[in-house]
Amino acid sequence: MYLLLDECCGKALVRVAEAAGHTAQRTVEVAVLGRQAPDLDIFEFARRAGSVFVTVNRGDFIGLAAKGREHPGVILIPSLPHAQLRPLFEQVLTVAGPLIADTPNLFVEIDAAGVVTSFQLP
């Protein structure tokens, strides 16, 4: 998968994603987005690029997708320190790949306890 990680996701998550065989970059590394890019710009870039978006910013991106915008997928992760987040991110990547490949417009979410859920929007 090509993963686009929100600015709020630490740099170390890029390395975690790449170690799992994915291509990954943070929004701050994308020239047309940069620092503090508006959520709509990020969502539209991810849609055009065919990238699965990774964020802790649950509400805003659910809101954007709920407006009928189709997307390649969104992975929602909890806001935790890297040491706690790393195993959760590794876990959700293992689950999300096959789910997102089979289901359009899918949100895959992992909570701090490691429980993975998914839902479609739009």
Side-chain angles (χ1 to χ4, degrees), residues 21-100:
H22 304 286
T23 301
Q25 73 181 128
R26 293 174 69 223
T27 56
V28 296
E29 298 166 346
V30 177
V32 297
L33 296 175
R35 294 208 176 275
Q36 299 180 340
D39 291 342
L40 179 58
D41 292 354
I42 293 168
F43 192 73
E44 291 301 323
F45 177 86
R47 291 179 63 224
R48 287 190 309 274
S51 63
V52 174
F53 186 59
V54 179
T55 187
V56 300
N57 191 354
R58 186 181 199 280
D60 289 346
F61 290 93
I62 287 174
L64 288 169
K67 292 179 181 176
R69 293 180 168 93
E70 294 190 7
H71 56 87
V74 177
I75 297 174
L76 302 170
I77 58 175
S79 180
L80 295 170
H82 179 70
Q84 293 173 286
L85 184 56
R86 181 186 179 115
L88 295 173
F89 190 53
E90 290 170 339
Q91 177 186 343
V92 77
L93 287 178
T94 302
V95 174
L99 289 174
I100 288 172

Side-chain angles (χ1 to χ4, degrees), residues 9-22:
C9 298
K11 293 178 191 178
L13 291 186
V14 171
R15 291 188 297 277
V16 172
E18 290 173 343
H22 304 286

